[in-house]
Each structure stands twice: as C-alpha cells, then as structure tokens.
Amino acid sequence: MDITHILDPLNEAQRQAVTSDAGNLLVLAGAGSGKTRVLVHRIAWLIATEGISPHSLLAVTFTNKAANEMRLRIEELLERPAGGMWVGTFHGLAHRLLRAHWKEAGLPEKFQILDADDQLRLVKRVHKSLDIDESRWSARQCQWFINEQKDEGLRSGSLESYGDEFTAVMLKVYAAYEQACERGGMVDFGELLLRSHELWLKSPALLGHYQQRFKHILVDEFQDTNAIQYAWLRVLAGGKAEVTAVGDDDQSIYGWRGARIENIQHFSRDFPGAETVRLEQNYRSTGNILKAANTLIANNEGRLGKELWTQDPEGEAISVYSAYNEQDEARFICSQIQGWIKDGNKANEAAILYRSNAQSRELEEALLRVGMPYRIYGGFRFYERQEIRNAMAYLRLVSSRDDDAAMERVINTPTRGIGNKTLESLRLLARQESLSLWRAASKAVTENLLPPRAMLNITAFMTLINELEEFARDKDLDELCDQAIQRSGLVKHYEKEGGEKAKIRKENLDELVSAAKVFTMEALDNDDESSITEVLAAFIDKAALDAGDTQAGAGEDAVQLMTLHSAKGLEFPTVFIAGLEEGLFPHQMSMDTQAGLEEERRLCYVGITRARQKLTLSHAESRRLHGEENLTRPSRFLSELPQNLLEEVRLQGRITRSTFFNDYAKNTYTGSEHGSIASSGDMADNESLNLGQRVRHPKFGEGIVLNYEGKGKNARVQINFDEVGGKWLVMSYARLEAI
C-alpha cells in the first residue's frame, strides 16, 4: 500500500509523533499545531504500515462530532472502511461496554439512560421521599454533588460526613438516589464511566479480554480528563496496551468541572518509558501573537514546556485599548468591527471574547445600537437567560398586575408551595370570571376558594409584589431591581445549584442591576424627571425588545460573541478580548490560589491563540457592578505581555507605543489619556470634551463626563453631577463649561 500520502502533509515533529515506535507516547500539541491531524495520521500509520487491525484500536475523543470526523478522516486516508475500530467519547464507549456486558455490570438488559433533566426529576422524587427541606437543600445542589462525586470515582458508601451537616444531607440523598437508580434500572452519565470502571475491577476475565483486544489506545484532549476517566484508561491499558495521549497542559482550562491537569503532567510517570514529542509549529497565528502567548504562559510553573513558532510573518502589533468605562469599551470594539467590515471583511470573521457571561449585555447593546447582527456562541442573549427572565417577570408584575405570563413564570419560582393544582384552579377561575390571574388569585383569597395552605402561600406572594411596589415609590430603578432579586429569593435559589453555573447566574443578576442603573441615568435626560413608574415601564419595554431581537440565523453573517471557555478549539481572523481587569480576568474567584491563578492565565493563553491575524485587548478604568461604579486595575496579564509587541489605541484612533504597561508594572499607573470627544467627529463642532473631564452646568453644578452618543446637533453627553447624579444632556443646549 502506498503510504506517502500519510506522511507527506506532515512537518518533521508531526512525522516523529505519527511514526514513533515508543510503547507509550505523549504528544504535547500546542495551539494550532495540528493535533487532530497527528492523531488521525498515527492511526492510519499503525493500520497501514504496522499491520495493526482496526479491531485492536481504541480512540477516545471528547465530543461525538469529533469522533465522527476522526473516523471519516481515517477512512479517507486508508481509502477503505475502518471496521471494528472503537472511536467515541468516554461516555459513549462506556455505554457500549455496559450494553454488551449488562449482566456482569449488575444492570438490567434494557437499562435506561438518564439525561440531566431526567436525573433532576429523580433527585426531586428522592427529596420528597426523604422529606428534605427544598428551601435549604435544593435538588440541583444535590444533583451537582452526586455528579461531582461520581466524576471522582466515589460512591456514597465510601464517603464520610465527619459531622458536617451539608455533607451528611448530601450523602443521605446520594445513597437514596443510588437505591432508586438500582430499583428502576437507571444509569446517569456519571454512572456510565463509574460502573464500567467498576466492571473492569470486579471482572478480571472480562478486563483481560479487552486488554488482549486493544493493543493501542489513543486519547485526544488528554489535559481535560478527570479522575474517573484517567482511572478507566489506566486500568484498561494495564501496562500492556500502547497509549498515545495528545493534549496541551497550557490549554487545561476546565478544572472547575473536574478536569485534572495532573493527568497529563504525570503521564510519563504513570506510563513508564513514554516518549514525549512536542508540536510547536503553529499554522494559525502571526508571529507577534505567538510571542505574546509564549511570554504570558511562561509565568506558569510546572509546565511541561514548549514554544510556539510560525513560518508566517510577524504581523501587526497587538492593540490595547484603555476604556473609560464598560460602555466606552463596548462602543470602541463595535467601531473597530465596523471598520473591519468596511475594509471588505466579513462580520463572522470577528469574535469578541469575555471572561464572564454578564459582560455580553453591554456588548450586545452596542451592537444592537448600530444594527450589527451578532450571535452568542453556545448560549443565550442576555435578556433571554433564565435568571434574567425570572427577575424581569417580578418587575413586570410590579409594573402591571395583569401580566399573566409574568405571574405564571414566578408565582412558584423560587418554589413557595404553590403547585400546579393550585395554579390550575386559578386559571379556571380566571377563565370563568374573565379575570387576570392576579385578580383571580385575589378573589380566591378573599372568598376562601382554595385550601388554607395554598391561600397562605398565595397571600405571601402577593404581599411581596405589593411591598416591592411600595418600596419603589421613593427609590430608583436599580434599587427596585436589587430588592426584587433579593427579596424574591432568586439569589439563594440559584446559589443552591452550586458549581460554575450558580456563579454565572449570580453575575448575570448583578449585571441586570447595573443595566437598571445605567438605564435610569439615561432616562433622566436634561430637566426631564420621569417617575419611577415610567422608567420601570420603559425598562421593561427595552428588555422585551432586546430579547425579541432574535439572534442572527445560521447562514447570516454575524459577529461572534462568546466566553473564553467556549472559544477553545475555534479560531478567527480578528479577536477582541474584553475586560482585562483584576477581579474580572483573572476572576476574583480564582485569584486566591496559585492553581486558580495559573488556570486563569491558561485561559488567557487560549484566548490569545484564537486570533489569526489581529488581536485587540481592552480594559475599563471603571466598571459598574451591582449598580455601583467601581474603579478597576488593569489585569496583571497585560503587564506580563512583551511591551514591544503592544500598541495603545487612543480614543480618536491614534496609535502610539504603549508606555502604560511599564508604568503599571511599577505600580505608578495613574490613568490613560483620552482624546477629545469632539475631535472624533461625534460631538458638536464648537464643543470639546474628554471622557473623564470635569465640567460645570449652570443648573446642576459640577460633574464628570461619563459617556457620549450621537453626532452633530443631536449629540448627547452623560454627566455624573456631584449633587444630582447622572444626567444625559444635549450638547447644543447644555451650556457646559470645561473645568
């Protein structure tokens, strides 16, 4: 068989990895270095030149899509079907094993697989049977605990509470949940791997059969394996199979969901005699982008070590923008993308990356303002997110008691003992009497039409809404929003979910309060003092319109927005990384430990290496959090980049070599310069103001320039006055005096 087509497309390091005759092989594949190609070509090489039967190969990937693509590419290289080869995800392969050996695994032949929703429903039934207080120990929290233990390879019987109440309750639920699964012949995703691992251990003859069969085991994205996956692989290999692990310790960014960077770091120790091949030639990014990435990641300790390089040109310098606030940052990014498109590029070639989901709101609003299509990759738009819809539903009820959709959404969210039976009774009464649900509930309570407990719970809910309305009478919109979120119990409700999802929901709710604060400031235009009722109604309308603006269609050219975690594995000609500030990126939750900080740095490395041609980094000098303006410090990651590769972009478009970063490194940074608002052409011809400049108004007194929008006579500027707070003023009438 002619094998030249297997090796010809490969560079020297790739060929070394593909043709290695080492018993065990670790391929350290840097970003954009062709790791998938190496994995595919190595499998084809083993089959074509060493006579290895596809039947003797096991290849593990992390997604079904990757597994299917791998199989197709192998068959294209071999020019024939690769029948008998096991290619799939960890869960897929474990499922296949359990289906074949259900009896040995102690399962019924037709066992049922529980998805996440099915699992949650079962946990809720267990809760009810144990009379667990849902208000203290939510079902989602228990679900998260169970899955975390299974990922660590731990059964309820192997854990101890050591007197801790939380752990004791979780273990009680875990044990009852295991019993319920056994009775019903049900298997969740975590159980697939845990049960198949236990199958290896308790069935030596069966394990021996598969160890005899699989002579070669090849694993992609090895840095993302967790404890049970690693244990599963080690037992199956048993010191007999030849293991090829492909991965990159510098791209290990999923520690929060159980991935262990130690697995790839200890590969050579756990698989004796392993050869290590480094893939360092990058086929994606320019030289300057790679130099920046290399310099940044070198600050991490314990790395296996590699240095990305390219034969391509050095390319442009990395742009850095120091924004006055998050609105200025979003507007800048939006304007840069507009310029990119005017130069003949496509919108979908531009990506905006951010550390926190909550950052998307300001970016979305900037894009909507200029009518630029965008798509949230792997997620929902801000106002479409569950926690935001729930919080907005409370505000909608405060604004209008006859909003049936809002009432249906939150009357029992969080759970407050108002079940479907009670709700159906209210629906029936509403239909019969031609009333809204609120009025039907009021009638039911007044006339004692429901059981006492149901009426008590409904009364408590209605009292909450009435009290929020009373609270709002002498408060601002952001204060009302904060009260609605806190007093409704939404924060505690989502905190019980645990894990990263709970943090994201909390950050989004904080961002909603910030959005309400900004909206209030915008509503106070000139001398117009709108009532809280009017401001609330307008805010609800705006949220509905933003949510109703559906995302760009699958075939529509649109800017890509996503978290840095979602961006892994993707690449774009131009990339913007927003929010490079201490406490945001690196994230506050990860800065307290060396391991957490290093994972944040790896995440930044991943973000940088998504860019092919142009990389732009931005940070804000102040950022609104939970409705309050906070001064911020630039991220340490900015100071860790090579200063000679950076250029600072000024407001009016001038580009200068950055002196700011050296100042920051010496702790002497006092703030970046901002160009004149008027000089950008966005303000009235005879006015010249800077963001951050102090001004005086004949009525409102002194204040500071926060924001601006529009052009010519209709241009507006946002001022935060010392005495009266935020105002939006039309420049041609404002009579502002620069101080």
Side-chain angles (χ1 to χ4, degrees):
M1 178 181 178
D2 182 12
I3 59 170
T4 56
H5 67 292
I6 296 178
L7 297 182
D8 283 351
L10 308 177
N11 63 34
E12 184 177 345
Q14 290 172 338
R15 290 188 183 191
Q16 182 184 351
V18 166
T19 61
S20 172
D21 58 2
N24 295 308
L25 176 67
L26 174 61
V27 181
L28 283 179
S33 64
K35 69 175 180 62
T36 304
R37 169 180 285 187
V38 165
L39 202 57
V40 168
H41 283 247
R42 179 159 176 78
I43 292 172
W45 173 267
L46 291 171
I47 295 173
T49 67
E50 298 191 17
I52 302 297
S53 168
H55 185 79
S56 300
L57 289 167
L58 177 76
V60 188
T61 67
F62 267 78
T63 67
N64 289 316
K65 180 181 178 182
N68 292 333
E69 289 178 353
M70 182 181 294
R71 181 181 292 276
L72 288 174
R73 290 175 64 176
I74 292 168
E75 292 179 344
E76 287 176 1
L77 279 176
L78 294 174
E79 298 177 343
R80 62 183 173 87
M85 182 171 58
W86 280 30
V87 181
T89 64
F90 277 103
H91 291 101
L93 295 170
H95 173 242
R96 183 172 180 175
L97 183 71
L98 293 178
R99 285 294 182 200
H101 304 285
W102 54 271
K103 186 175 292 185
E104 295 93 329
L107 292 169
E109 183 176 5
K110 296 183 179 179
F111 63 84
Q112 174 190 355
I113 297 179
L114 298 176
D115 61 20
D117 289 339
D118 292 334
Q119 184 189 32
L120 180 60
R121 280 191 284 271
L122 179 57
V123 173
K124 287 180 177 179
R125 291 202 296 272
V126 169
H127 257 216
K128 191 172 182 179
S129 69
L130 296 175
D131 199 24
I132 299 292
D133 184 358
E134 175 71 21
S135 65
R136 292 192 64 194
W137 321 102
S138 75
R140 286 192 181 276
Q141 189 177 34
C142 293
Q143 180 187 30
W144 174 78
F145 177 87
I146 291 168
N147 291 336
E148 184 181 45
Q149 305 315 311
K150 290 193 175 187
D151 285 347
E152 292 295 315
L154 300 172
R155 293 284 185 196
S156 62
S158 60
L159 294 163
E160 294 288 343
S161 66
Y162 298 105
D164 179 68
E165 184 184 11
F166 170 80
T167 306
V169 172
M170 293 297 110
L171 291 180
K172 182 179 179 182
V173 175
Y174 188 8
Y177 171 82
E178 286 180 309
Q179 293 171 5
C181 286
E182 288 293 328
R183 287 195 304 269
M186 295 175 287
V187 175
D188 58 43
F189 284 112
E191 185 71 17
L192 289 171
L193 269 167
L194 181 54
R195 181 75 64 124
S196 60
H197 177 249
E198 292 170 343
L199 177 61
W200 295 143
L201 299 180
K202 73 178 184 181
S203 306
L206 187 65
L207 174 62
H209 165 75
Y210 282 101
Q211 288 177 335
Q212 181 68 27
R213 172 177 176 173
F214 295 125
K215 305 295 186 184
H216 288 268
I217 301 174
L218 303 99
V219 188
D220 195 10
E221 301 287 9
F222 200 79
Q223 76 281 348
D224 293 335
T225 53
N226 62 26
I228 191 64
Q229 290 165 345
Y230 194 56
W232 190 89
L233 285 168
R234 289 190 66 189
V235 171
L236 176 58
K240 301 174 183 177
E242 296 185 3
V243 178
T244 298
V246 181
D248 183 4
D249 57 324
D250 290 334
Q251 295 189 74
S252 179
I253 59 173
Y254 297 118
W256 50 273
R257 69 182 189 195
R260 290 189 171 186
I261 192 173
E262 297 89 349
N263 293 347
I264 191 169
Q265 291 175 336
H266 296 162
F267 182 85
S268 296
R269 180 196 70 186
D270 295 338
F271 294 87
E275 176 187 354
T276 299
V277 176
R278 290 171 170 80
L279 305 184
E280 298 171 300
Q281 183 175 356
N282 178 281
Y283 293 91
R284 176 189 298 158
S285 305
T286 64
N288 284 337
I289 291 172
L290 296 181
K291 287 176 184 176
N294 288 331
T295 304
L296 174 77
I297 202 64
N299 289 280
N300 275 4
E301 298 177 359
R303 296 175 59 232
L304 295 174
K306 64 184 179 311
E307 190 89 0
L308 296 178
W309 61 275
T310 181
Q311 291 181 338
D312 293 338
E314 296 298 294
E316 297 183 47
I318 296 168
S319 296
V320 181
Y321 183 65
S322 177
Y324 182 71
N325 56 23
E326 69 271 21
Q327 293 172 307
D328 181 29
E329 178 186 50
R331 183 173 49 242
F332 165 75
I333 292 173
C334 189
S335 68
Q336 294 296 105
I337 295 175
Q338 286 179 303
W340 165 266
I341 295 172
K342 284 180 182 178
D343 288 341
N345 301 293
K346 293 183 178 180
N348 63 16
E349 294 177 333
I352 309 174
L353 313 183
Y354 36 82
R355 176 62 180 87
S356 168
N357 257 300
Q359 289 174 257
S360 79
R361 182 192 65 83
E362 201 66 62
L363 295 163
E364 289 182 60
E365 291 193 359
L367 293 167
L368 286 170
R369 201 173 295 127
V370 298
M372 186 176 295
Y374 70 91
R375 183 179 299 107
I376 303 287
Y377 183 89
F380 293 99
R381 291 187 173 199
F382 183 79
Y383 286 105
E384 293 174 339
R385 293 165 191 167
Q386 180 195 103
E387 60 276 17
I388 301 304
R389 285 185 177 274
N390 287 339
M392 289 302 301
Y394 280 99
L395 296 180
R396 285 162 54 190
L397 273 180
V398 171
S399 178
S400 171
R401 301 296 196 280
D402 295 330
D403 189 331
D404 283 356
M407 180 114 170
E408 290 247 14
R409 186 173 190 92
V410 295
I411 191 172
N412 200 41
T413 303
T415 54
R416 49 175 60 90
I418 303 173
N420 289 331
K421 186 176 180 181
T422 299
L423 191 53
E424 188 54 45
S425 297
L426 294 181
R427 292 191 190 108
L428 179 61
L429 180 59
R431 288 195 298 269
Q432 290 173 342
E433 301 287 336
S434 297
L435 300 172
S436 66
L437 276 176
W438 179 275
R439 296 181 191 279
S442 181
K443 181 180 178 69
V445 170
T446 303
E447 300 180 10
N448 294 318
L449 302 179
L450 294 171
R453 184 175 179 181
M455 288 197 298
L456 184 66
N457 293 332
I458 289 173
T459 300
F461 172 73
M462 298 178 76
T463 299
L464 167 65
I465 302 301
N466 290 332
E467 288 178 348
L468 286 172
E469 182 184 40
E470 183 69 25
F471 173 86
R473 289 180 181 173
D474 59 348
K475 296 294 190 300
D476 288 333
L477 176 61
D478 59 301
E479 295 175 290
L480 170 61
C481 186
D482 185 35
Q483 280 290 304
I485 291 169
Q486 298 296 334
R487 293 179 61 178
S488 66
L490 284 176
V491 172
K492 291 183 178 178
H493 172 66
Y494 288 120
E495 282 177 346
K496 291 173 185 174
E497 287 188 2
E500 189 73 9
K501 184 177 286 188
K503 298 174 189 174
I504 291 171
R505 293 197 193 279
K506 176 65 167 58
E507 288 175 350
N508 284 334
L509 289 172
D510 283 345
E511 181 62 20
L512 182 63
V513 177
S514 294
K517 179 73 171 181
V518 172
F519 188 83
T520 300
M521 296 173 71
E522 292 178 347
L524 301 177
D525 194 347
N526 293 322
D527 296 342
D528 179 21
E529 295 290 343
S530 302
S531 69
I532 180 63
T533 302
E534 293 169 329
V535 173
L536 174 58
F539 183 63
I540 290 169
D541 288 345
K542 178 184 181 300
L545 289 171
D546 284 357
D549 248 334
T550 56
Q551 293 204 44
E556 188 175 354
D557 187 28
V559 179
Q560 310 292 306
L561 274 68
M562 66 194 74
T563 64
L564 283 145
H565 283 100
S566 297
K568 187 172 179 293
L570 304 177
E571 60 182 71
F572 303 91
T574 186
V575 167
F576 298 82
I577 303 180
L580 276 154
E581 299 143 28
E582 290 289 293
L584 181 56
F585 192 27
H587 198 281
Q588 188 66 45
M589 301 293 290
S590 303
M591 291 170 58
D592 295 338
T593 66
Q594 183 72 11
L597 181 59
E598 291 197 348
E599 181 157 319
E600 290 289 293
R601 189 175 284 111
R602 291 194 294 270
L603 187 59
C604 189
Y605 173 86
V606 166
I608 289 172
T609 54
R610 299 311 96 193
R612 285 164 46 192
Q613 301 167 14
K614 179 63 182 175
L615 175 64
T616 302
L617 311 175
S618 63
H619 68 96
E621 294 175 15
S622 67
R623 188 174 296 273
R624 192 171 294 278
L625 179 64
H626 204 74
E628 297 297 326
E629 200 80 29
N630 293 276
L631 296 178
T632 64
R633 295 177 62 224
S635 170
R636 69 192 70 194
F637 299 152
L638 288 171
S639 66
E640 292 174 356
L641 297 175
Q643 304 305 297
N644 64 316
L645 301 182
L646 308 180
E647 60 184 17
E648 190 170 3
V649 182
R650 301 295 186 175
L651 189 67
Q652 64 270 57
R654 290 188 295 108
I655 296 177
T656 60
R657 283 290 160 194
S658 172
T659 57
F660 147 69
F661 301 105
N662 292 327
D663 291 339
Y664 170 71
K666 298 172 185 175
N667 292 318
T668 59
Y669 174 60
T670 58
S672 68
E673 299 175 15
H674 288 278
S676 165
I677 291 173
S679 69
S680 69
D682 287 342
M683 303 305 291
D685 294 338
N686 297 323
E687 299 291 347
S688 181
L689 296 176
N690 298 328
L691 290 178
Q693 182 175 351
R694 289 193 65 79
V695 295
R696 183 181 293 109
H697 184 272
K699 178 178 179 181
F700 302 129
E702 293 185 10
I704 189 169
V705 180
L706 293 182
N707 202 352
Y708 74 94
E709 65 177 29
K711 297 180 180 180
K713 294 181 179 180
N714 295 322
R716 301 196 309 157
V717 63
Q718 184 187 27
I719 313 290
N720 186 28
F721 290 102
D722 298 341
E723 298 297 328
V724 298
K727 299 283 184 182
W728 277 94
L729 306 177
V730 177
M731 281 294 294
S732 54
Y733 303 108
R735 293 177 293 159
L736 292 172
E737 176 188 353
I739 298 177

